[in-house]
């Protein structure tokens, strides 16, 4: 019997039901044990496995086999019967009966089965072992995936299932569209979440700045208080020293005066005592001697008594009340309660769309614990990225923490700074911040605007001396009322031109705005674009001097032949030999159609050419131009379809007066038609690896008129 796919080598499967796929799990669990007996033959393992399949699986999987044959699905089973460890390899009576009924029990003799059991015990090194098996379920048909999404129930469903009748009245959408819508919604929410994170980060940064500034401000106030109190203490100490010194001097003066008076009084007392003693001694003398001394004593006593004795106190003992002047101390104390000068304001960075072409809104912040009466906002223009040097400064006083500064130049940078003021004094200046006014509105160049059925190339001039960040093109369909808003906007355009995809057969009103960090400019003057056909202008820089282009730009005239004293120098842009001009066709690969009105007797060449076609060669004389050439001699018309100086032999019987030209990039063809009779003239099969442009040449005096921006005729559309 051939070995089934996925079966381990050496496992016999002859007795297993055909629909079953099972594996002896114990063999995988016992790899290490089997390697202990390398001498055992694979035959014994096959016999053991055969016996296991016959005797162990018969009673366990017979019902599953029967269910499978009856068409019911079979299920995986991994069975572990702990009772087998006790009864060894003995089969139950029910299992034996099932084996006999199914024909599994009579495939070997009892002695052979016993030998197989002994070999199994010897190989596995134990008398009995827990038996594990697993039945692989049959493969069921996979359910078809959901293909629509019920918007009402918010769940994907299948259109083929019976339950879809529940969703018939609900709004359903294709699963891919619902997936894209869910992704867009998630992206929008992620964008909003990112914006919220940025706002919270900015707010946290602002809080951190406020925290640091408040801490610094309180630190400065603490230093201010300490300085004031130290100054008061120094003033009081100085006054104390002055008063103590004045009191000492006054004390010394009074004591010295009293001491002098006391000394004088003592001297007078001594003199009086001496006179008294002398008089007493005279009284005890004899009369003669007494009289002699009495006369002298009388004179002396008279003189002494005539001397005036000062008995008034030279200094009063009362203490004079010393009035202390603390006016300067009171002034210092009052200064402590005075409002401090404000801290330096913090000028905010410029907010988006906060400026116009002539004004800008400047904002700043101040900490809540500062008292401010007014602000001085100063600014000056920034020239050549060197702020503050040689520029006139302007200052204005405002009450709020914002100001709209007007009369500014568009798309110009200005440097701003602000100072807060109160009655105590001004604050330090804030950091300088650079703001920028919005640009001037651009100017659309109508002459350079080109279009076709699928797109339009819009060109404009910036109108600003300084470069801007980007431009935005706004489109409004003519069928849509302008009050309803912008139909479409193309943003982030870095240059002064943009190729925009449009819908065929419509008219659009185009506006252009310029953007910078300050904001968006006003709209430009409108321009109208039609997508009914290919519209282009002639390149005047390529025009030969003998040709004249009309004011509307669609008629080419060659006057009487002019002569030049010397030959024109060759250039890469202007035709100097071939009297020709080239047009500017929009660089879009698709189908372009235009018509040329000609005179039957006019010698002309029309077609297409690459932009770098040699300007010193005739059109059609090189590999970069494909042209139709007409020459008229007497009554004979000659038509050539030239490319690289070769032309096919084609005869045109009806001279065309209006020639239609179809440039088909998709099919690499250039076709010419006689418009009046809807006749196909000729088609070039050309590999256009680069963009080509319409070209026109007049070999004799005359004129031709170009008709573009028109729809393709039916005979051209189905060509």
């Amino acid at each position: 019997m051939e070995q089934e796919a996925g079966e381990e080598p050496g496992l016999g499967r002859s007795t297993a039901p055909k629909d079953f796929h099972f594996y002896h799990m114990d063999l995988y669990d016992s790899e290490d044990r089997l390697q202990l007996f390398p001498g055992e033959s694979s035959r014994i393992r096959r016999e053991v496995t055969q016996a296991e399949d016959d005797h162990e699986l018969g009673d366990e999987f017979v019902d599953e086999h029967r269910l499978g044959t009856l068409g019911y699905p079979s299920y995986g089973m991994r069975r572990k019967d702990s009772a087998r460890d006790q009864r060894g390899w003995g089969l139950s009576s029910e299992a034996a009966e099932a084996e006999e009924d199914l024909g599994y029990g009579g495939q070997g003799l009892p002695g052979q089965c016993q030998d197989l059991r002994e070999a199994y015990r010897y190989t596995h090194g134990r008398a009995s072992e827990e038996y594990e098996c697993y039945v692989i379920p049959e493969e069921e048909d996979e359910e078809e995936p959901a293909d629509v999404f019920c918007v009402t129930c918010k769940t994907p469903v299948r259109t083929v299932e019976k339950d879809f009748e529940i969703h018939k009245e609900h709004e359903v959408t294709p699963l891919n569209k619902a997936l894209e819508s869910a992704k867009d919604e998630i992206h929008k929410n992620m964008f909003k979440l990112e914006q919220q994170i940025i706002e919270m980060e900015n707010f946290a940064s602002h809080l951190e700045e406020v925290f640091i500034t408040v801490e610094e401000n309180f630190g400065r106030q603490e230093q201010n208080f300490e300085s004031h109190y130290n100054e008061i203490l120094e003033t009081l100490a100085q006054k104390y020293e002055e008063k103590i010194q004045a009191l000492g001097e006054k004390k010394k003066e009074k004591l010295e005066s009293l001491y002098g008076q006391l000394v004088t009084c003592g001297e007078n007392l001594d003199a009086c005592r001496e006179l008294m003693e002398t008089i007493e001694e005279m009284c005890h003398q004899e009369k003669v001697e007494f009289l002699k001394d009495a006369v002298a004593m009388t004179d002396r006593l008279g003189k002494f008594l005539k001397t005036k004795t000062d008995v008034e106190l030279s200094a009063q003992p009362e203490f004079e009340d010393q009035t202390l002047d603390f006016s300067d101390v009171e002034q210092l104390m009052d200064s402590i309660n005075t409002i401090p000068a404000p801290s330096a304001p913090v000028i905010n960075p410029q907010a988006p769309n906060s400026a116009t072409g002539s004004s800008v809104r400047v904002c700043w912040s101040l900490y809540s614990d500062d008292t401010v009466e007014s602000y001085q906002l100063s600014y000056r223009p920034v020239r050549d990225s060197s702020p503050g040097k040689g520029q006139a400064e302007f200052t204005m006083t405002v009450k709020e923490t914002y100001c709209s500064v007007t009369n500014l130049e568009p798309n110009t940078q200005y440097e701003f700074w602000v100072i807060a003021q109160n009655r105590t004094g001004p604050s330090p200046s804030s950091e300088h911040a650079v703001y920028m006014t919005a640009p001037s509105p651009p100017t659309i160049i109508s002459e350079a605007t080109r279009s076709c059925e699928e797109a339009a190339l819009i060109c404009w001039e910036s109108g600003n001396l300084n470069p801007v960040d980007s431009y935005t093109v706004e489109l409004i369909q003519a069928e849509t009322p302008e009050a309803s808003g912008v139909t479409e906007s193309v943003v982030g355009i870095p240059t002064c031109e943009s190729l925009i995809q449009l819908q065929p057969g419509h008219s659009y009103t185009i506006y252009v705005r310029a953007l910078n960090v300050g904001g968006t400019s006003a709209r430009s003057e409108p321009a109208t674009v039609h997508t009914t056909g290919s519209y282009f202008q002639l390149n005047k820089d390529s025009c030969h001097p003998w040709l004249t282009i009309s004011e509307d730009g669609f008629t080419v005239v060659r006057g009487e032949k002019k002569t030049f004293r010397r030959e024109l120098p060759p250039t890469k842009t202007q035709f100097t030999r071939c009297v020709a001009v080239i047009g500017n066709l929009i660089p879009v690969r698709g189908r372009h159609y235009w018509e040329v009105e000609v005179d039957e007797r006019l010698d002309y060449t029309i077609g297409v050419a690459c932009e770098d076609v040699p300007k010193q060669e005739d059109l059609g004389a090189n590999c970069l131009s494909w042209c139709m050439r007409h020459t008229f001699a007497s009554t004979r018309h000659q038509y050539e379809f030239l490319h690289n100086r070769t032309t096919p032999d084609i005869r045109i019987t009806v001279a065309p007066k209006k020639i239609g030209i179809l440039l088909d990039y998709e099919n690499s063809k250039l076709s010419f038609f006689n418009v009046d009779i809807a006749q196909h003239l000729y088609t070039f099969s050309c590999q256009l690896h680069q963009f080509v442009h319409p070209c026109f040449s007049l070999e004799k005096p005359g004129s031709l008129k170009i008709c573009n921006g028109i729809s393709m005729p039916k005979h051209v559309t189905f060509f």
Side-chain angles (χ1 to χ4, degrees), residues 195-209:
Q195 295 297 324
Q196 186 174 358
I197 290 173
I198 293 174
E199 291 178 1
M200 293 301 296
E201 288 178 349
N202 294 336
F203 180 69
S205 177
H206 180 66
L207 282 180
E208 184 179 358
E209 292 178 356

Side-chain angles (χ1 to χ4, degrees), residues 546-548 556-562 579 598-604 630 632 697-704:
W546 290 357
L547 295 180
T548 303
V556 181
V557 180
R558 177 175 177 176
E560 294 298 328
K561 187 174 181 180
K562 300 179 182 179
V579 185
V598 296
D599 189 351
E600 297 179 357
R601 300 175 179 273
L602 181 67
D603 292 352
Y604 58 85
H630 170 256
F632 178 76
S697 175
L698 293 175
E699 300 179 8
K700 292 182 179 179
S703 64
L704 53 84

Side-chain angles (χ1 to χ4, degrees), residues 403-474:
C403 180
S404 293
V405 184
T406 58
N407 298 325
L408 304 178
E409 297 181 7
N411 200 37
T412 303
Q413 290 183 335
Y414 287 86
E415 184 183 20
F416 289 88
W417 65 97
V418 64
I419 296 174
Q421 290 181 323
N422 60 19
R423 64 175 180 267
T424 303
S427 72
S429 173
S430 68
E431 296 291 334
H432 290 213
V434 176
Y435 280 55
M436 193 170 191
T437 53
S440 299
T443 303
I444 298 178
I445 307 174
S446 301
E447 296 79 8
T449 300
R450 295 166 271 171
S451 63
C452 63
E453 292 185 349
E454 302 173 354
L457 180 64
I458 312 299
C459 301
W460 60 86
E461 293 178 349
S462 173
N464 295 275
L465 297 177
N466 299 322
V468 300
D469 293 343
S470 63
Y471 298 92
T472 297
V473 176
E474 299 177 353

Side-chain angles (χ1 to χ4, degrees), residues 250-388:
K250 194 70 173 175
K251 173 184 176 182
K252 181 181 178 182
E253 180 182 356
K254 283 191 173 187
L255 291 178
E256 288 179 353
S257 175
L258 292 173
Y259 180 76
Q261 192 174 10
L262 182 61
V263 171
T264 303
C265 183
E267 291 177 352
N268 289 334
L269 288 174
D270 291 340
C272 289
R273 288 191 185 99
E274 182 183 359
L275 289 175
M276 289 294 293
E277 291 175 356
T278 304
I279 292 173
E280 287 179 359
E281 289 178 357
M282 288 176 59
C283 289
H284 294 290
Q285 290 179 358
E286 293 181 358
K287 296 180 180 179
V288 177
E289 293 178 355
F290 175 77
L291 291 173
K292 291 181 181 179
D293 295 333
V295 174
M297 181 57 67
T298 301
D299 294 336
R300 181 180 175 187
L301 185 60
K303 291 180 181 179
F304 179 78
L305 292 175
K306 289 181 180 179
T307 303
K308 187 178 181 180
T309 302
D310 187 8
V311 293
E312 297 290 337
L313 293 176
S314 61
Q316 298 297 326
E318 292 82 4
F319 179 76
E320 297 179 1
D321 186 13
Q322 299 291 330
T323 303
L324 299 178
D325 184 10
F326 288 102
S327 60
D328 50 353
V329 177
E330 291 176 357
Q331 185 177 0
L332 289 174
M333 292 295 294
D334 293 339
S335 66
I336 296 178
N337 299 323
T338 303
I339 298 173
S343 303
V346 177
I347 193 165
N348 300 337
Q350 184 172 11
N353 300 320
S354 62
T356 66
S358 60
S359 66
V360 64
R361 181 183 175 89
V362 185
C363 300
W364 58 90
S365 58
L366 195 73
Y367 305 110
S368 58
D369 53 351
D370 284 344
T371 301
V372 176
E373 297 177 357
S374 63
Y375 299 93
Q376 280 192 349
L377 178 65
S378 302
Y379 65 95
R380 59 192 169 201
V382 178
R383 303 293 186 186
D384 300 329
S385 300
S386 57

Side-chain angles (χ1 to χ4, degrees), residues 542-545 547 575 577-582 619 695-698:
S542 67
C543 185
H544 191 279
L547 295 180
F575 287 97
R577 178 181 175 185
C578 179
V579 185
V581 63
I582 196 170
L619 296 176
C695 58
F696 312 91
S697 175
L698 293 175

Side-chain angles (χ1 to χ4, degrees), residues 558-570:
R558 177 175 177 176
E560 294 298 328
K561 187 174 181 180
K562 300 179 182 179
T563 59
F564 297 97
R565 296 181 179 178
R566 57 183 180 179
E567 188 177 352
L568 295 174

Side-chain angles (χ1 to χ4, degrees), residues 66 116 144 196 268 377 488:
R66 288 176 179 175
L116 291 175
E144 295 183 4
Q196 186 174 358
N268 289 334
L377 178 65
E488 182 181 357

